[in-house]
């Protein structure tokens, strides 16, 4: 899943693709580099980011979705608002990626259910300005799995078919570096939910912490792509359905190598056994409907 941020303030590439024409071209370029799916978002979720109003988010997102869909690109929309999701789906998007898992807008789950669209449910404890969103866990893996299970159940109760739900552990959202690493080490636990797993680690703060070491300064976001590719290979080996990244080519290569190593191990070996497809270049599960990676 390649990222197109139609925002002036994204933490990693804010402003580079703010123009509709540039954003559409970038999305097409990501497909040429190996993206199976392009995720278009018009609202930054970086710490401290102010929310844009709904009309501005629509203005940013819908023309880009329409332009990419017209070029035959498989598009997802990254939004927490039901009206943006509805209009993006009408413009040609095929999947809704909601970092709040349907919590930010009570209209989201009914809207996605009515559209019969695949839905990414991310682990979310609230906006990062909310005191309840603090990164406090006794057992981060167990708690994230339990809270995701509750959100999946709520989505199903709201009318979304279980086979259309994808889960995302929400790396960096109400989590510190140790939490993020623990979740990446236990993707197998996330897969016990029985849903495809999306891993969105690209350029995030915890990678900067790892690269900096105990006393160094974290490298800027755009210098974390090699680290992102490493996470992508690990996620693919553990059976993730997809990885969401800003720089596609390195991750596509990393995933290809991870798949080759897993295949060389023979049937029943390695982390990607049966069930949901691994990320990148393979048929996605029925759960993701038309948005499955091809």
């Amino acid at each position: 899943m390649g990222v197109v941020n139609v925002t002036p303030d994204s933490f990693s590439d804010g402003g580079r693709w703010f123009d509709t024409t540039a954003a559409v071209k970038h999305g097409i370029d990501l497909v040429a580099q190996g993206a199976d799916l392009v995720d278009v978002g018009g609202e930054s979720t970086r710490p401290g980011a102010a929310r844009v109003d709904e009309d501005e988010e629509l203005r940013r997102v819908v023309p880009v979705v329409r332009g990419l869909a017209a070029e035959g690109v498989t598009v997802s929309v990254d939004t927490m608002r039901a009206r943006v999701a509805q209009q993006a789906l009408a413009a040609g998007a095929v999947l809704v990626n909601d970092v709040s898992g349907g919590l930010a807008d009570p209209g989201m789950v009914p809207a996605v259910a009515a559209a019969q669209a695949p839905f990414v449910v991310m682990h979310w404890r609230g906006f990062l300005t909310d005191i309840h969103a603090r990164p406090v866990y006794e057992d981060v893996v167990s708690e994230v799995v339990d809270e995701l299970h509750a959100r999946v159940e709520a989505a199903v109760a709201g009318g979304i078919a279980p086979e259309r739900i994808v889960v995302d552990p929400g790396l960096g959202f109400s989590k510190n570096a140790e939490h993020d690493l623990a979740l990446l080490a236990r993707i197998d636990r996330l897969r016990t939910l029985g849903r495809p797993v999306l891993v969105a680690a690209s350029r995030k703060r915890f990678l900067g912490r790892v690269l900096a070491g105990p006393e160094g300064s974290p490298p800027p976001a755009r210098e974390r792509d090699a680290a992102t590719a490493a996470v992508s290979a690990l996620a693919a080996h553990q059976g993730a359905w997809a990885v969401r990244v800003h720089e596609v080519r390195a991750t596509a290569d990393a995933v290809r190598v991870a798949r080759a190593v897993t295949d060389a191990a023979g049937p029943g070996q390695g982390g990607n056994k049966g069930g949901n497809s691994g990320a990148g270049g393979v048929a996605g599960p029925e759960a993701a409907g038309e948005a499955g990676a091809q």
Side-chain angles (χ1 to χ4, degrees), residues 1-84:
M1 179 186 282
V3 179
V4 174
N5 289 318
V6 194
T7 62
D9 57 349
S10 167
F11 81 98
S12 67
D13 54 9
R16 297 189 72 197
W17 323 116
F18 195 43
D19 173 76
T20 297
T21 301
V24 171
K25 181 181 183 302
H26 183 53
I28 293 169
D29 289 344
L30 292 178
V31 172
Q33 294 165 22
D36 300 295
L37 178 66
V38 172
D39 195 41
V40 178
E43 181 176 26
S44 175
T45 53
R46 65 178 175 79
R51 295 208 70 186
V52 299
D53 65 41
E54 186 174 88
D55 287 341
E56 173 63 12
E57 188 180 354
L58 285 166
R59 187 195 69 77
R60 295 176 182 183
V61 167
V62 173
V64 177
V65 170
R66 184 178 294 114
L68 286 170
E71 295 293 331
V73 175
T74 305
V75 182
S76 63
V77 60
D78 176 4
T79 184
M80 292 183 277
R81 290 186 168 110
R83 184 165 165 245
V84 176

Side-chain angles (χ1 to χ4, degrees), residues 96-185:
V96 177
N97 179 17
D98 181 355
V99 300
S100 80
L103 288 168
D105 184 342
M108 179 64 86
V109 168
V112 175
Q116 299 185 349
F119 186 51
V120 177
V121 174
M122 196 191 83
H123 177 262
W124 193 72
R125 285 186 167 181
F127 296 102
L128 298 181
T129 54
D130 187 337
I131 190 171
H132 300 296
R134 289 180 300 176
V136 178
Y137 303 87
E138 291 186 8
D139 180 339
V140 66
V141 176
S142 294
E143 290 175 55
V144 167
V145 169
D146 289 347
E147 290 170 32
L148 273 174
H149 180 261
R151 290 311 307 152
V152 169
E153 291 294 300
V156 171
I160 299 177
E163 64 270 16
R164 293 188 177 275
I165 295 174
V166 176
V167 296
D168 176 344
L171 302 176
F173 288 82
S174 300
K175 299 169 188 73
N176 60 31
E178 290 74 20
H179 298 143
D180 292 333
L181 292 167
L183 288 162
L184 285 172

Side-chain angles (χ1 to χ4, degrees), residues 191-288:
R191 292 183 68 201
T192 64
L193 292 167
R195 308 306 332 128
V197 177
L198 171 66
V199 174
S202 185
R203 297 180 176 174
K204 286 189 173 176
R205 183 176 301 180
F206 80 95
L207 294 175
R209 298 278 172 83
V210 171
L211 296 174
E215 298 179 2
S217 299
R222 291 181 64 192
E223 294 179 14
R224 303 172 193 167
D225 289 328
T228 298
V231 170
S232 298
L234 291 166
H237 186 65
Q238 294 186 74
W241 167 69
V243 287
R244 181 181 184 275
V245 299
H246 298 84
E247 202 288 314
V248 166
R249 193 178 305 279
T251 273
D253 289 348
V255 167
R256 190 174 298 116
V257 171
R259 172 55 55 87
V261 171
T262 300
D263 289 348
Q269 303 299 313
N272 187 15
K273 297 179 282 188
N276 304 329
S277 307
V282 295
E286 184 181 355

